[in-house]
Amino acid sequence: MCEIPEKEKHHRRSIRLKEYDNSHPGAYFVTVCAYNWKHLFGEIVNSKMRLNRIGKMIQSVWSELPQNYQGVNTDAFVVMPNHIHGIIVLSSVGATPCGCPPPGQAQGPAPT
């Protein structure tokens, strides 16, 4: 069997439109992967995802995004053992008081 070189194993071609400005209102599919694809968010048990403490925190922060950021809504979302998928819907653009707090003042949950 032919072994694929490590550097080519995870190479994916971007399907993004080069000329598209992602600051426009619309629905955006988001994937966030754990560093080195480590299973940090939970495990699959009997074909069901069982979230650990970190996975529960991610789910909680996701559900709070619309309350913390004006013009941001969420749609479908799933936490997997080593990554998340979700759809974020931007209904307005530009920095808002919630999205850009005054210097030294936190707004919403801290990034982790």
Side-chain angles (χ1 to χ4, degrees), residues 38-51:
K38 289 188 178 187
H39 288 208
L40 301 176
F41 312 141
E43 60 184 340
I44 304 290
V45 177
N46 296 326
S47 301
K48 300 264 186 192
M49 179 61 193
R50 182 183 295 167
L51 298 176

Side-chain angles (χ1 to χ4, degrees), residues 28-100:
Y28 294 89
F29 182 79
V30 177
T31 299
V32 179
C33 302
Y35 181 71
N36 284 336
W37 287 84
K38 289 188 178 187
H39 288 208
L40 301 176
F41 312 141
E43 60 184 340
I44 304 290
V45 177
N46 296 326
S47 301
K48 300 264 186 192
M49 179 61 193
R50 182 183 295 167
L51 298 176
N52 61 18
R53 185 178 58 80
I54 297 170
K56 288 175 185 176
M57 179 193 62
I58 291 168
Q59 193 168 48
S60 174
V61 170
W62 178 269
S63 68
E64 295 169 0
L65 285 174
Q67 290 83 37
N68 292 312
Y69 299 97
Q70 185 177 0
V72 173
N73 288 301
T74 56
D75 202 315
F77 177 72
V78 64
V79 179
M80 301 302 291
N82 60 5
H83 66 286
I84 65 167
H85 293 293
I87 297 175
I88 294 180
V89 181
L90 302 180
S91 59
S92 61
V93 296
T96 64
C98 281
C100 187

